[in-house]
Amino acid sequence: MFSKGTKRKFSDGDDEMPDESLVSAKVASSYSLQRQSLLDMSLIKLQLCHMLVEPNLCRSVLIANTVRQIQEEMTHDGSWQVVESFSSAGQSPSDRLVATEVLCRSPTSGREQDGEHKLFSVISYDGCREEEVVADETLCSVSVGDPSSNICLSGGLGQRWERGELRGVMADECDEACEDSRLGPGEEDVDAEEECPTEEPKSVGQVFGTFEIKNGSPGPDSALEELFSDVDASYYDLDTMLTGMQSSPKMGPYDLLDSLAPSHAPPSIAPSSNCRSDLNELDHIMEIIVGS
Amino acid sequence: MGEDGESPKINHSFLRDYVTEADVISTVEFNQTGDLLATGDKGGRVVIFQRETESKGDSEELAESGEYNVYSTFQSHEPDFDYLKSLEIEEKINRIRWLPQQNAAHFLLSTNDKTIKLWKVSERDKRPEGYNLKDEEGRLKDISTVTSLQVPVLKPTDLMVEVRPRRIFANGHTYHINSISVNSDGETYLSADDLRINMWHLAITDRSFNIVDIKPANMEDLTEVITAAEFHPQHCHLFVYSSSKGTLRLCDMRASALCDKHSKIFEEPEDPGGKSFFSEIISSVSDVKFSHSGRYLLTRDYLTVKVWDLNMEKGPVETYQVHEYLRSKLCSLYENDCIFDKFECVWNSSDSVIMTGAYNSFFRMFDRETGRGVTLEAWRESSKPRAVLRTRRVYTGGRRRRGDVGVDSLDFTKKILHMAWHPAENIIAIAATNNLYIFQDRVNPEAQ
């Protein structure tokens, strides 16, 4: 079930992962290893909602709570220190590596593009961090005093996790307003290109900058909502994930309206906001933005 | 029922022996007299068994020959499709609840994830014969051949069991229904899904009252769901619901229309020493049952069953370890999703014994008076009809006895999730995947 293919003994946790390259030398304790693998497992579980029947909400909520718990602990531990993770070429999934790369590239590019661009000021790291950190970030409720900071980048990066799986899932038309508050879609769209790793930092920053402008000023504590809600492509959108929407093009009115409520535009667009990040829509918007 | 020595003798009947997924039994329920036993399966079918009564001489000897045989089978729910969400709606029967019998017919409620149905089960063992205008096959007679009038008489025929849907309670739930419970007033019942509880009147299908709603304004804030709910057996205004965080909330419907505010909340303080990432998951209550007396609550979480006194909210009065040896395996059980298995728990008729299921086809019984538990197995190869059900043991250290099963040898695909206890006698029905086992205690047939 665990996609890494790691052989797990019953009393797991004591064994080190075969692909040790994942773990930085600084994060050496087996507890951190265990915790990380638990986090990985949980995130994968949340992703696997590509089924015809709605997934079990109780199970999803419990897994999501576990993920929150882990990331809270990792925040308190300060386990998000800089780690030289992305020298690790042999990682699986490679998405993480990509995410890390982009994350590392963005600070310079982002700031070049937009002075107010605070993508990484939110996460007070210095550039590169290991992919686990990226994953954690997306779940971390970073409370940003600066309303212009936008952590959708991390949200989007987190999306890279299941980028491959999520591709092709979204087909709906999304209201432009939906995407305003989501950098995620844009980011994801960027990620969706196969050549992610080789993407121009400039364009990435462009995307974020542009989206940020469109986004207006999300509230300081809307970061978490944004991270969560922009991923209809990602399980981070708890709403869609919990209600199993991500496998379906259309979302039910109840859940979408609720989840979109805090960070979205006025109710007048509510009906169309029923369709979340739609890759096609994102592509379209991206073309407009990047192409211009 | 203590350990060893007093294991109940078995009369076990293999009533279902299919191997298809659709035949996996998903719920088991006795009616109020125990004469009828209903099972629901993943394929949306309901099978009702009836206890045979046999006269031995001048008196009926139920204890010796009360076997359960198939009484009726019907398709309760069909697979459905939610067009709005583009998701299938499973036909799996999540719960069956019998209504108290008021006339010759029997009524039961069956529910899948979205729709509850009221079924009427009635017998027909007579039919009128001797119509004037119709012949035996029902064809109209030629009037010219009718020379005299006759009065149709009722003649006995083979017993026919008719099952008809009488009410369909649809569109009441956005999320998956996990419980239904008939009120002691005999007129209303509640249905609970992950986030809401509705109260229905049995005669009204187009309206229901929402009595509990824990859905947050922002779904991203969702951290807790409803896992089970039940009406109090005597007080028609009280009901309890359990949550995925291990809390029980007792609500009084007289207090307000919307019972979001509980009257009592039962919560065991967390043990700080035992806290792990799985603490919350294993504290999630999978089933809650009022005792027959109405004084106690029985809850099942992943590793334990607990008895709560309604008068004491700060913690359970009794805690029984079902399979503590799994505590060190939680990570693996999380990985293979077994940690999310929802086991049921039941009281016996006198509330002196509680029972719940486990893995490897094992189920556990706990005697509340002695505090001792016994492990039994529902597996045909190890028992013959009328054989004594022997106790099993999971080896967790110490001296290993013959027949002990090692923890690593447990079969986690053989889970005993659903079970029922006869309302008056020591007869239990255990669902093991697609098999139904019925065990009777011949030593002590009547509950103590």
Side-chain angles (χ1 to χ4, degrees):
Chain A
M1 173 158 191
F2 192 48
S3 69
K4 282 192 173 190
T6 308
K7 257 202 171 166
R8 308 185 73 90
K9 290 190 206 161
F10 242 9
S11 55
D12 52 47
D14 299 327
D15 304 46
E16 285 193 338
M17 315 279 268
D19 42 349
E20 278 191 49
S21 54
L22 275 178
V23 183
S24 156
K26 292 184 184 177
V27 188
S29 70
S30 72
Y31 173 77
S32 297
L33 271 177
Q34 282 183 51
R35 182 173 62 186
Q36 184 54 49
S37 74
L38 183 61
L39 179 65
D40 298 345
M41 208 194 313
S42 305
L43 293 173
I44 291 171
K45 276 181 185 300
L46 288 178
Q47 292 180 47
L48 292 176
C49 293
H50 304 292
M51 45 186 94
L52 293 173
V53 185
E54 271 180 280
N56 189 337
L57 185 66
C58 182
R59 173 178 174 271
S60 303
V61 166
L62 288 173
I63 297 174
N65 288 350
T66 306
V67 168
R68 276 199 195 98
Q69 200 183 339
I70 295 174
Q71 62 92 3
E72 268 172 26
E73 190 179 293
M74 290 180 95
T75 316
H76 290 132
D77 276 0
S79 303
W80 296 3
Q81 300 305 322
V82 176
V83 204
E84 76 261 21
S85 59
F86 38 137
S87 54
S88 49
Q91 295 181 26
S92 70
S94 57
D95 291 346
R96 297 195 210 168
L97 188 54
V98 171
T100 309
E101 233 181 326
V102 175
L103 182 54
C104 290
R105 272 187 277 121
S106 298
T108 39
S109 61
R111 290 190 187 122
E112 284 166 11
Q113 296 305 317
D114 184 357
E116 290 182 352
H117 190 51
K118 299 275 187 126
L119 281 166
F120 298 95
S121 63
V122 170
I123 311 136
S124 51
Y125 316 130
D126 312 314
C128 318
R129 45 198 68 108
E130 58 179 343
E131 77 292 347
E132 299 106 310
V133 172
V134 173
D136 297 339
E137 284 171 12
T138 60
L139 302 164
C140 177
S141 83
V142 183
S143 91
V144 184
D146 185 345
S148 66
S149 61
N150 193 324
I151 36 187
C152 287
L153 169 61
S154 8
L157 289 172
Q159 290 179 33
R160 287 172 181 273
W161 278 64
E162 59 287 2
R163 167 173 64 87
E165 290 180 332
L166 297 167
R167 192 95 59 92
V169 168
M170 284 75 52
D172 273 358
E173 295 299 312
C174 268
D175 186 17
E176 186 173 326
C178 297
E179 290 157 10
D180 281 354
S181 44
R182 295 298 90 92
L183 264 204
E187 163 65 344
E188 183 194 345
D189 184 63
V190 168
D191 298 350
E193 329 290 309
E194 278 306 332
E195 63 283 0
C196 274
T198 63
E199 210 154 41
E200 284 293 337
K202 195 170 164 66
S203 61
V204 169
Q206 248 183 355
V207 169
F208 296 145
T210 311
F211 270 66
E212 184 172 338
I213 290 168
K214 279 169 86 175
N215 196 8
S217 355
D221 56 352
S222 71
L224 182 56
E225 278 92 3
E226 287 188 42
L227 286 174
F228 270 115
S229 50
D230 70 5
V231 195
D232 46 18
S234 157
Y235 48 81
Y236 293 135
D237 182 349
L238 274 183
D239 171 51
T240 54
M241 172 269 295
L242 293 179
T243 54
M245 301 303 204
Q246 59 197 83
S247 59
S248 64
K250 292 218 186 298
M251 312 268 199
Y254 317 96
D255 309 305
L256 279 172
L257 286 175
D258 288 341
S259 62
L260 291 178
S263 0
H264 279 77
S268 59
I269 60 148
S272 45
S273 68
N274 279 345
C275 330
R276 271 269 196 105
S277 17
D278 171 75
L279 267 181
N280 296 333
E281 181 84 4
L282 296 176
D283 283 334
H284 178 64
I285 292 180
M286 283 308 306
E287 283 169 28
I288 297 173
I289 295 166
V290 178
S292 56
Chain B
M1 299 182 186
E3 297 241 10
D4 302 321
E6 290 171 34
S7 320
K9 291 184 185 168
I10 318 309
N11 162 31
H12 89 219
S13 359
F14 299 106
L15 300 165
R16 289 157 75 113
D17 193 11
Y18 312 113
V19 291
T20 57
E21 178 75 6
D23 296 316
V24 171
I25 300 172
S26 50
T27 186
V28 188
E29 184 80 357
F30 281 101
N31 74 336
Q32 278 78 4
T33 60
D35 290 335
L36 294 176
L37 174 67
T39 64
D41 65 20
K42 266 189 158 183
R45 278 179 313 240
V46 172
V47 180
I48 303 177
F49 301 91
Q50 187 184 47
R51 193 171 184 197
E52 296 301 327
T53 58
E54 211 179 278
S55 317
K56 281 203 169 179
D58 294 321
S59 61
E60 288 188 351
E61 269 298 330
L62 284 180
E64 285 301 321
S65 58
E67 297 198 6
Y68 284 83
N69 297 322
V70 177
Y71 179 64
S72 174
T73 302
F74 62 95
Q75 185 75 30
S76 170
H77 286 73
E78 298 277 357
D80 204 348
F81 196 76
D82 182 340
Y83 297 97
L84 198 61
K85 300 180 186 177
S86 293
L87 290 171
E88 287 181 2
I89 300 174
E90 281 189 329
E91 66 273 28
K92 174 170 76 89
I93 308 295
N94 293 334
R95 268 287 187 257
I96 291 175
R97 288 285 184 259
W98 292 91
L99 266 54
Q101 191 175 11
Q102 288 172 337
N103 50 37
H106 299 275
F107 288 87
L108 64 83
L109 287 169
S110 69
T111 183
N112 68 347
D113 284 339
K114 298 284 184 180
T115 305
I116 306 141
K117 295 187 182 180
L118 177 69
W119 294 90
K120 177 178 178 182
V121 184
S122 49
E123 289 182 6
R124 187 201 293 254
D125 59 357
K126 298 184 185 55
R127 49 170 257 166
E129 283 181 11
Y131 284 102
N132 290 292
L133 298 176
K134 289 188 289 186
D135 64 16
E136 294 305 309
E137 281 81 38
R139 292 185 296 246
L140 286 176
K141 283 185 192 172
D142 184 359
I143 299 260
S144 55
T145 65
V146 178
T147 53
S148 62
L149 283 178
Q150 57 180 346
V151 177
V153 291
L154 290 175
K155 294 253 175 76
T157 63
D158 295 336
L159 179 67
M160 254 193 348
V161 180
E162 293 181 330
V163 183
R164 289 212 187 89
R166 296 311 298 258
R167 304 267 190 277
I168 297 182
F169 304 90
N171 303 318
H173 289 277
T174 306
Y175 302 97
H176 291 181
I177 299 174
N178 52 54
S179 316
I180 49 175
S181 175
V182 182
N183 204 348
S184 52
D185 65 8
E187 290 185 352
T188 57
Y189 73 95
L190 65 76
S191 58
D193 67 25
D194 293 316
L195 297 178
R196 298 191 177 99
I197 301 179
N198 292 337
M199 189 167 90
W200 306 78
H201 191 285
L202 284 165
I204 300 170
T205 59
D206 61 352
R207 255 171 300 157
S208 75
F209 288 106
N210 176 243
I211 52 178
V212 172
D213 188 343
I214 65 168
K215 183 176 177 189
N218 185 351
M219 276 294 276
E220 288 139 10
D221 298 334
L222 180 64
T223 56
E224 192 174 11
V225 299
I226 298 171
T227 51
E230 195 179 55
F231 267 121
H232 191 281
Q234 284 96 37
H235 300 302
C236 57
H237 53 88
L238 287 179
F239 66 93
V240 70
Y241 70 92
S242 60
S243 82
S244 58
K245 288 200 168 165
T247 62
L248 304 169
R249 288 177 173 84
L250 185 74
C251 298
D252 188 332
M253 293 195 290
R254 300 171 301 185
S256 71
L258 189 61
C259 296
D260 278 358
K261 204 155 171 286
H262 50 264
S263 296
K264 290 191 182 183
I265 181 163
F266 299 83
E267 205 169 3
E268 186 170 22
E270 199 175 358
D271 168 25
K275 185 161 165 56
S276 76
F277 287 121
F278 305 110
S279 296
E280 184 183 317
I281 299 180
I282 62 169
S283 72
S284 173
V285 174
S286 55
D287 193 17
V288 65
K289 294 265 170 49
F290 274 101
S291 64
H292 292 90
S293 62
R295 162 121 186 238
Y296 296 99
L297 283 168
L298 178 66
T299 60
R300 173 72 154 97
D301 50 64
Y302 192 63
L303 296 178
T304 69
V305 280
K306 297 185 167 127
V307 177
W308 305 73
D309 187 325
L310 278 186
N311 301 317
M312 189 169 98
E313 299 165 66
K314 63 173 162 48
V317 291
E318 295 158 30
T319 302
Y320 301 93
Q321 303 295 336
V322 179
H323 36 208
E324 178 69 9
Y325 45 79
L326 295 184
R327 191 178 287 273
S328 54
K329 316 285 180 198
L330 290 179
C331 197
S332 308
L333 294 165
Y334 179 74
E335 188 178 357
N336 62 17
D337 267 9
C338 281
I339 206 172
F340 302 108
D341 287 337
K342 291 192 181 337
F343 293 95
E344 291 173 14
C345 52
V346 291
W347 297 90
N348 75 335
S349 49
S350 60
D351 298 338
S352 58
V353 179
I354 55 184
M355 179 170 73
T356 188
Y359 294 107
N360 208 64
S361 304
F362 288 166
F363 58 100
R364 300 267 280 149
M365 272 191 206
F366 300 96
D367 183 339
R368 291 183 62 211
E369 278 143 40
T370 63
R372 300 170 74 186
V374 65
T375 304
L376 302 163
E377 186 178 18
W379 183 235
R380 75 177 87 159
E381 280 179 9
S382 64
S383 26
K384 292 173 271 205
R386 306 195 176 255
V388 174
L389 194 64
R390 62 195 177 96
T391 59
R392 303 304 309 270
R393 227 169 71 112
V394 177
Y395 174 67
T396 54
R399 192 172 68 92
R400 184 164 189 151
R401 297 187 215 160
R402 192 170 63 92
D404 280 5
V405 180
V407 178
D408 293 335
S409 329
L410 293 174
D411 187 345
F412 289 92
T413 62
K414 296 197 168 64
K415 21 193 139 194
I416 306 288
L417 301 173
H418 312 289
M419 49 183 38
W421 201 307
H422 191 285
E425 298 179 33
N426 283 342
I427 303 173
I428 56 178
I430 309 279
T433 321
N434 45 18
N435 289 318
L436 180 72
Y437 293 82
I438 299 180
F439 301 111
Q440 292 184 2
D441 187 347
R442 296 301 171 86
V443 176
N444 303 300
E446 303 293 323
Q448 286 96 335

